[in-house]
Amino acid sequence: MTESSKTILKPHQRIVELDALRALAAINLLLFHLSYVYAVKYGFVSPLGWEWPFGKYGVEMFFILSGFVNSMSLMRRGKPVDFVAARMIRIVPVFLMVIVANLWITRQMPLSHEPLGAEQFLANLTLLPRVLGYECVDPVMWTLQVEMMFYITLVVLFKIGALRRYFIGWGTLCVLSLVACPLLDAYASEYGSARWFSVLSSLRLLMLLDFVPLFAIGFLLYMIKTGTGKKWQNMLGILIACGVFHSIDHGKHNPVATVLIVALVTLCAYGKMPLLRIRPLIYISTISYALYLCHNNLGCILMYRLNHSGIPSNISFLMAVAFSFSLAIIVTNRIEQPITNGLRKLWTRYRTKSDSETVPATAS
């Protein structure tokens, strides 16, 4: 890959279709966890009669989307500290509340066979439990850990200038993915308990080597959108990133689905999907984070109790879905938004004060 010489990035207004994609990803995960995963892990009293086993494609789309949107956010702000603060204000408060709530949630059926211990609880508070060798309190939260590491990766690349020479930055990470992931997978059965293998596996998680190609695709789509670099080089970079992802993926994702997802994100980025601008999807995008955090463990508990009290499986499923959406609306409006708005005001006040103190010092 060659390096781009054109690095001036143009800011963009919020793209409504990308919000709609976030909503679709959240709905996809909800259907996946409350139908397919629940049936596999716990089982319905009577067969549901259908399932939605496509959760992995919602995750794939979300990571590509995140690569686009968060690159846009960082480049538009131009200051990593403001980008990180915005992400932490958005993510951390509600996340910590949900982790604390799981001290009670994980003691309910059908989750009670894996109660939350003190060490696992503390590890989850860091948002990086898997890096520390512990499982997520809620299995769905593994994607949030990946997302957090992407923020760190993005900021590091920005600080060292690797987002200006982005083919070198992302290209290096993709090469590491292509080499390290297959090697570690090949030696897992033989050396899985070795100390050095655990260290390398933690580094693999920290450096996002399994998912770097997806974030790189999103970043390169943003470069195309802003007219940065040569379009053919960016498109070639996307093709190579897709190839790297599927070469380390062990056939878990269909390449055709990846092509369709990239095409869908691209069309939405250019505002070519007006069908997605419907109000319900846009509204769901505003509650998508709370829906993501609250649907799985609580939904499973409610569905289990309803189903085992004699309520048919499909009705139990629909009631769990309705409960998840209702809870997400309450958490978003009554908890998340007030806290987020308050913290944003405090951060703006702090930054304004900090900038006002810096200017006179510089002038003198």
Side-chain angles (χ1 to χ4, degrees), residues 56-64 214 245-246 253 258 261:
K56 59 188 175 184
Y57 294 109
V59 172
E60 185 179 2
M61 182 170 71
F62 178 76
F63 287 160
I64 293 174
L214 297 178
F245 176 68
H246 285 284
H253 296 76
T258 299
I261 290 170

Side-chain angles (χ1 to χ4, degrees), residues 232-259:
W232 73 267
Q233 290 179 338
N234 290 329
M235 293 176 68
L236 179 60
I238 290 172
L239 183 62
I240 293 173
C242 288
V244 172
F245 176 68
H246 285 284
S247 69
I248 66 175
D249 185 50
H250 301 292
K252 296 175 184 176
H253 296 76
N254 190 322
V256 175
T258 299
V259 171

Side-chain angles (χ1 to χ4, degrees), residues 125-144:
L125 290 179
T126 68
L127 280 82
L128 302 173
R130 286 191 170 184
V131 175
L132 300 175
Y134 294 90
E135 285 303 315
C136 299
V137 169
D138 187 333
V140 72
M141 291 179 179
W142 74 268
T143 57
L144 183 59

